[in-house]
Amino acid sequence: MPQRIGIPKETFTGEKRVAISPDVVEKLIKLGFAVQVETGAGEGASFYDDALAAAGAKIVSAAELYASSDIVFKVREPDLNDVAKLKDGTTLISFVWPAQNPELMKALAAKKLTVLAMDCVPRLLSRAQKMDALTSMAGIGGYRAVIEAANAFGRYFNGQITAAGKIPPAKVFIAGAGVAGLAAIGTSVGLGAVVRANDTRAEVADQVKSMGAEFIKVDYEEEGSGGGGYAKVMSEGFQKAQREMYAKQAKDVDIIITTALIPGKPAPRLITAEMVASMKPGSVIVDMAAERGGNCELTEPDKAVVKNGVTIIGYTDLASRLAKQSSTLYATNLLRLTEELCKAKDGQIVVNMEDDAIRGFTVIKDGEITWPPPPLKLPAPPAPKPAAAPVVKEEPKKSGAGMAIMALVAACLFALIGATAPTAFIGHFTVFVLAVFVGYMVVWNVTPALHTPLMSVTNAISSIITIGALLQVAPPAAPGRPDFLILIIAVVGITLTSINTFGGFAVTRRMLMMFHK
């Protein structure tokens, strides 16, 4: 008998997301599961009961759902009332935050549950990335943070020149260039702002620059990479230098978006009250770490407040404010997880504790707390190959006698040509030799990346031979007409060189268009 997956309505105040979508319902059924959804669970995300029922889900009451579900999908961590509704032995898949919720962990273990925490997906495993709900939600949060900032900001993001005057672009500073920060950078750049960003991890500098933003480096040498792709707590010396840099940016920019979080710790304080007071009136701060205490000293969670003329936004439901999009991505993450748990496609999940990806976010197994997991056994990096000794090619030694003989032969040939050829030929021949030498030197010194457009242009220019052919076709100054064979050759030459001319310029234009935005 297939297991039943139940999706209840989220009870957290203001939460609009749901852990299902119509498309995912169909795919879960194809895996062999029965799907049931609480009445009205998807209304906040515009997934109404009739659409879910049409996809194959059974719409039931909350009491029936909790009593009959073998597996429960949720978004927010359950409260103690939710835990009481779960039947013993149920598998719960949800955000849990085990480090921050020890009492919840004890209550879940007492019910003999198996709990898979979506916030504990081992992000260092490449095959676990399709299940990484933290990344999905952080990307949406970063995008929404910029939209909230634009809504509170009193000007355009992009610069404009109008009949009424010039409007400068907004200056945006983003503290933290993780997933949320990069999403905020991309959105801000897309809106036309001048964007700057900072992160304690030096390796993200190239990512920031590749997205069109400027990376602001702290004038202090210390590596900030922590475990699992997160940043670590920095030394006091680094933090002092960082605060000085933030204070300088606060005076100059219009919008600050903070995204700095360290797992299991309160959000680091990056923006002080003095920095807020130094900002220009009408500026905006969006604190994405408000739920963990906030990166700004004046942030009030779940509120937008104005302090010293600066709007400080501390919303903790940024992903929920794009409920349909975030629910779609989260449901897809759950589907990918279910595919890993049900490889037989028989409607039965198997929590394999030998699988590093599954073990990483299994925080309770059959009532036994298994969090934190053991360190991941990542494959050792390949040993560097020993550098091969450079092969020195010995150029053949040129014989001095041979060079002298070649020079003597060339001189004799030139003397013979000069003695027998007409005077006009000598002049043309000299120009020809010089042109070959100059052309060779010009082409030889051009970077190889430009050889294709360069050669197409030189092909077109070399078609100046068309002029010679036209002279042969044109009537001569003396009476009579040119030889018939010469006429035919000249016409063929004109045709071929015309193709060369137009083709050369056409190829050049297409090559150069590749470098245009």
Side-chain angles (χ1 to χ4, degrees), residues 88-299:
D88 290 358
T90 301
T91 298
L92 173 67
I93 305 177
S94 172
F95 280 100
V96 177
W97 307 106
Q100 289 83 18
N101 295 305
E103 294 301 321
L104 173 62
M105 290 287 288
K106 292 178 182 178
L108 293 169
K111 298 279 289 187
K112 303 298 182 183
L113 304 181
T114 294
V115 181
L116 280 65
M118 295 301 289
D119 48 277
C120 295
V121 172
R123 306 171 90 176
L124 292 180
L125 292 178
S126 58
R127 68 186 185 88
Q129 291 175 4
K130 61 187 177 181
M131 304 177 275
D132 188 1
L134 278 176
T135 294
S136 300
M137 298 301 103
I140 293 174
Y143 170 86
R144 184 68 191 196
V146 178
I147 301 303
E148 294 293 342
N151 182 56
F153 189 51
R155 290 205 334 257
Y156 291 128
F157 259 52
N158 62 326
Q160 295 188 22
I161 298 176
T162 70
K166 182 179 179 181
I167 302 171
K171 296 178 182 178
V172 179
F173 178 70
I174 296 170
V179 175
L182 292 174
I185 290 171
T187 307
S188 301
V189 170
L191 290 175
V194 175
V195 185
R196 305 165 188 167
N198 167 260
D199 197 281
T200 57
R201 296 160 293 183
E203 65 268 19
V204 305
D206 290 338
Q207 299 175 31
V208 169
K209 294 174 184 177
S210 70
M211 298 188 73
E214 178 187 0
F215 185 79
I216 306 297
K217 190 176 183 296
V218 176
D219 190 17
Y220 192 98
E221 293 299 329
E222 182 178 351
E223 176 53 43
S225 294
Y230 293 96
K232 70 174 185 179
V233 178
M234 307 300 286
S235 68
E236 181 56 36
F238 182 93
Q239 292 181 34
K240 181 181 178 182
Q242 186 181 53
R243 285 192 293 269
E244 292 173 356
M245 182 270 288
Y246 283 157
K248 183 179 178 181
Q249 291 298 320
K251 295 177 182 179
D252 186 48
V253 301
D254 304 299
I255 295 167
I256 296 177
I257 298 175
T258 66
T259 69
L261 278 175
I262 298 172
K265 297 182 181 294
R269 289 295 170 85
L270 306 177
I271 308 299
T272 64
E274 291 78 11
M275 294 179 195
V276 175
S278 71
M279 296 180 72
K280 293 172 283 190
S283 298
V284 179
I285 297 174
V286 181
D287 192 343
M288 294 187 64
E291 193 168 6
R292 301 295 174 187
N295 296 138
C296 176
E297 189 176 351
L298 302 180
T299 297

Side-chain angles (χ1 to χ4, degrees), residues 355-369:
D355 185 317
D356 284 344
I358 303 302
R359 174 66 184 90
F361 54 83
T362 303
V363 296
I364 299 176
K365 179 71 166 70
D366 298 328
E368 179 185 352
I369 296 177

Side-chain angles (χ1 to χ4, degrees), residues 32 64 104-105 165 208 289 303 372 412 431 492 506 514:
E64 182 180 351
L104 173 62
M105 290 287 288
V208 169
K303 293 181 181 179
C412 292
V431 172
V492 172
M514 293 171 61

Side-chain angles (χ1 to χ4, degrees), residues 13-29:
T13 303
E15 181 58 71
K16 297 180 180 179
R17 291 174 293 177
V18 65
I20 200 65
S21 70
D23 288 342
V24 170
V25 168
E26 295 178 357
K27 292 173 183 177
L28 289 173
I29 291 173

Side-chain angles (χ1 to χ4, degrees), residues 152-510:
F153 189 51
R155 290 205 334 257
Y156 291 128
F157 259 52
N158 62 326
Q160 295 188 22
I161 298 176
T162 70
K166 182 179 179 181
I167 302 171
K171 296 178 182 178
V172 179
F173 178 70
I174 296 170
V179 175
L182 292 174
I185 290 171
T187 307
S188 301
V189 170
L191 290 175
V194 175
V195 185
R196 305 165 188 167
N198 167 260
D199 197 281
T200 57
R201 296 160 293 183
E203 65 268 19
V204 305
D206 290 338
Q207 299 175 31
V208 169
K209 294 174 184 177
S210 70
M211 298 188 73
E214 178 187 0
F215 185 79
I216 306 297
K217 190 176 183 296
V218 176
D219 190 17
Y220 192 98
E221 293 299 329
E222 182 178 351
E223 176 53 43
S225 294
Y230 293 96
K232 70 174 185 179
V233 178
M234 307 300 286
S235 68
E236 181 56 36
F238 182 93
Q239 292 181 34
K240 181 181 178 182
Q242 186 181 53
R243 285 192 293 269
E244 292 173 356
M245 182 270 288
Y246 283 157
K248 183 179 178 181
Q249 291 298 320
K251 295 177 182 179
D252 186 48
V253 301
D254 304 299
I255 295 167
I256 296 177
I257 298 175
T258 66
T259 69
L261 278 175
I262 298 172
K265 297 182 181 294
R269 289 295 170 85
L270 306 177
I271 308 299
T272 64
E274 291 78 11
M275 294 179 195
V276 175
S278 71
M279 296 180 72
K280 293 172 283 190
S283 298
V284 179
I285 297 174
V286 181
D287 192 343
M288 294 187 64
E291 193 168 6
R292 301 295 174 187
N295 296 138
C296 176
E297 189 176 351
L298 302 180
T299 297
E300 296 184 23
D302 295 312
K303 293 181 181 179
V305 296
V306 178
K307 302 288 180 70
N308 298 310
V310 178
T311 302
I312 304 171
I313 298 173
Y315 299 149
T316 61
D317 61 345
L318 290 172
S320 183
R321 288 171 180 252
L322 285 171
K324 185 168 186 176
Q325 183 66 77
S326 53
S327 297
T328 299
L329 292 182
Y330 183 64
T332 303
N333 293 139
L334 291 171
L335 171 65
R336 301 308 175 207
L337 168 60
T338 308
E339 289 173 343
E340 289 292 318
L341 296 173
C342 181
K343 294 183 178 179
K345 298 183 180 180
D346 58 355
Q348 301 286 328
I349 64 170
V350 177
V351 180
N352 180 11
M353 298 296 277
E354 300 299 321
D355 185 317
D356 284 344
I358 303 302
R359 174 66 184 90
F361 54 83
T362 303
V363 296
I364 299 176
K365 179 71 166 70
D366 298 328
E368 179 185 352
I369 296 177
T370 59
W371 186 89
L376 286 174
K377 297 177 182 178
L378 298 175
K385 295 182 179 179
V391 179
V392 180
K393 293 184 178 180
E394 294 185 2
E395 296 186 1
K397 297 180 179 179
K398 296 182 179 179
S399 170
M403 293 293 293
I405 293 173
M406 289 179 61
L408 180 62
V409 171
C412 292
L413 287 175
F414 281 123
L416 180 62
I417 292 172
T420 59
T423 304
F425 176 81
I426 296 299
H428 293 317
F429 185 74
T430 303
V431 172
F432 171 75
V433 171
L434 292 174
V436 169
F437 175 75
V438 172
Y440 172 80
M441 294 303 296
V442 169
V443 173
W444 184 260
N445 288 292
V446 169
T447 180
L450 297 177
H451 278 175
T452 300
L454 172 69
M455 293 307 296
S456 60
V457 171
T458 54
N459 284 344
I461 296 174
S462 70
S463 297
I464 198 169
I465 195 171
T466 306
I467 298 174
L470 288 172
L471 291 175
Q472 294 299 322
V473 172
R481 298 197 52 82
D483 184 86
F484 182 73
L485 179 59
I486 294 177
L487 180 64
I488 295 299
I489 294 174
V491 171
V492 172
I494 291 171
T495 303
L496 295 178
T497 53
S498 296
I499 295 172
N500 198 34
T501 300
F502 291 109
F505 284 118
V507 170
T508 301
R509 183 176 180 277
R510 293 188 65 179

